[in-house]
Amino acid sequence: MKKILVIGSAGQIGSELVFKLREIYGDDNVVASDKCPNAGKKLQEKGCLFEILDVTDRDALREICKKYEINNIINMAAILSAVGEKKPTLAWDVNMGGLLNVLEVGRELAMEQVLVPSSIAAFGPETPADNTPQETILRPKTIYGVTKVAGELLGDYYVQRFGLDVRGLRYPGIISNETLPGGGTTDYAVEIYYEAIKNKKYTCFVKEDTRLPMMYMPDCLKATIDLFQADFSKLKHHADFNVGAMSFTVGELAASIKKYIPEFKISYEPDFRQDIADTWPNSVDDSCAREEWGWKPSYDLDAMTQDMLKVIGEKYEKGLI
Ligand code: SER
């Protein structure tokens, strides 16, 4: 039976993934963890098993794994691209130190699997920007991207060298309505919906023609769980799968919102995050994910916009945001 530890359970993906995993594997078989005790209280109020854990503390990680007889780890703790540029050494410590701890504890305790995410941030300005191939030039310009490329290589190393089952996805920008993202470049694609509901206007920190690969949270959860459940013997890749869902400019995103909120207005004040966005692809080729574990997204831009505006609109009416 699977006993899964989710690290970074208070974050944008972790906070939703924990509940999806509980539905599939049972409430007693999923342990949420995060370094933030307040988030822990919220998760415990919803019935989750919870432990305070800083992923950079290998001894604490090992103890929690032993206590709950964990045999699968999903590590969602990370410093994202924008915060990483402000605190590069912290990004290295959390992203690389945390990853090494997860891989080492996975190896020491002979875990069934560890799932460790990568990102479109693994790509850089020399990478072909359209329909970016699975195998391509990986020369990122952000510290976040550097840790993601190193993480992909380290994950593959643990597969080959130690026979540990390590898997990971290159997540595009993730759009969701439960927990706000924490300090990434693609955060505008979430903020825009909240501002559209609250103020009918948004000032975007990247330009109108900035195009990036994006994915709605239900597809993100599906991709994560589909890869988690995939047959290891069918995987040719391990810690670096391209996964695509949609690709749009900010202008197209604003136009999609205007279909439902005609008075919505957008303006642009690009900041340092524009430079990061300019080094990332427009869209990715995810045929390896489709072939090796059957990846198929469900949401396009308008379907996502309708759902986002409905859910965030309901929260606003109830005074929750
Ligand atoms: N959403 C992330 C970021 O913007 C990309 O993986 O940093």
Side-chain angles (χ1 to χ4, degrees):
M1 183 189 297
K2 288 203 191 306
K3 285 271 193 179
I4 307 162
L5 175 68
V6 180
I7 305 172
S9 296
Q12 187 193 14
I13 300 176
S15 61
E16 298 201 38
L17 183 63
V18 161
F19 291 96
K20 227 5 177 211
L21 291 168
R22 280 162 54 99
E23 272 169 38
I24 299 169
Y25 296 103
D27 295 354
D28 297 336
N29 297 320
V30 181
V31 179
S33 69
D34 201 280
K35 74 176 175 47
C36 168
N38 283 343
K41 276 188 208 130
K42 281 190 207 150
L43 287 161
Q44 279 170 315
E45 277 164 18
K46 292 183 188 169
C48 288
L49 294 171
F50 178 80
E51 293 282 340
I52 295 173
L53 174 64
D54 178 339
V55 72
T56 62
D57 184 343
R58 191 182 304 174
D59 292 337
L61 170 60
R62 188 187 299 106
E63 283 321 300
I64 290 169
C65 289
K66 284 186 177 164
K67 177 175 167 186
Y68 292 94
E69 299 178 339
I70 296 295
N71 51 23
N72 287 265
I73 301 178
I74 300 182
N75 179 28
M76 291 292 167
I79 301 293
L80 297 185
S81 57
V83 174
E85 288 314 292
K86 298 209 185 297
K87 299 176 180 172
T89 57
L90 177 70
W92 182 267
D93 290 346
V94 173
N95 298 359
M96 289 314 299
L99 172 65
L100 185 63
N101 290 343
V102 168
L103 293 169
E104 268 300 285
V105 170
R107 182 187 67 79
E108 285 172 19
L109 301 183
M111 299 239 173
E112 280 176 21
Q113 185 190 140
V114 303
L115 193 145
V116 291
S118 186
S119 158
I120 52 163
F123 304 120
E126 292 103 345
T127 310
D130 292 314
N131 214 21
T132 299
Q134 175 70 42
E135 312 296 347
T136 187
I137 301 164
L138 299 175
R139 299 191 66 83
K141 297 294 177 248
T142 61
I143 187 68
Y144 177 61
V146 169
T147 65
K148 290 298 163 189
V149 174
E152 291 180 1
L153 295 172
L154 196 59
D156 284 353
Y157 176 77
Y158 269 70
V159 176
Q160 289 153 28
R161 176 77 171 78
F162 303 113
L164 183 65
D165 180 346
V166 185
R167 305 179 187 194
L169 306 148
R170 289 175 178 151
Y171 288 116
I174 303 298
I175 296 160
S176 67
N177 50 49
E178 176 67 32
T179 306
L180 289 171
T185 300
T186 57
D187 293 13
Y188 66 84
V190 179
E191 289 170 7
I192 193 171
Y193 286 108
Y194 282 84
E195 292 307 310
I197 292 287
K198 288 195 220 168
N199 300 315
K200 313 269 181 267
K201 61 181 171 42
Y202 179 59
T203 303
C204 188
F205 55 77
V206 296
K207 291 185 288 190
E208 182 173 11
D209 61 356
T210 305
R211 177 182 293 282
L212 287 173
M214 299 278 179
M215 183 181 277
Y216 194 30
M217 183 58 89
D219 276 335
C220 170
L221 297 176
K222 182 170 174 292
T224 307
I225 287 167
D226 284 356
L227 178 61
F228 182 67
Q229 295 179 333
D231 180 349
F232 184 71
S233 68
K234 299 223 164 78
L235 302 183
K236 295 186 197 111
H237 297 83
H238 295 102
D240 61 357
F241 281 101
N242 280 3
V243 275
M246 54 184 119
S247 159
F248 50 76
T249 65
V250 189
E252 288 163 358
L253 173 57
S256 173
I257 292 174
K258 272 188 206 176
K259 283 186 199 164
Y260 308 97
I261 306 178
E263 63 274 39
F264 176 67
K265 295 256 175 321
I266 182 150
S267 54
Y268 299 91
E269 283 177 19
D271 66 16
F272 72 103
R273 289 168 284 191
Q274 181 71 54
D275 296 336
I276 300 176
D278 287 345
T279 68
W280 290 354
N282 299 328
S283 60
V284 299
D285 173 356
D286 59 6
S287 46
C288 291
R290 289 175 189 256
E291 279 158 27
E292 292 175 45
W293 48 275
W295 165 240
K296 194 169 179 290
S298 302
Y299 281 84
D300 62 13
L301 176 55
D302 281 343
M304 173 175 76
T305 294
Q306 283 182 49
D307 203 48
M308 283 291 281
L309 294 177
K310 178 172 167 286
V311 175
I312 297 169
E314 283 166 6
K315 283 191 188 184
Y316 187 62
E317 296 210 333
K318 288 185 194 149
L320 297 172
I321 55 167

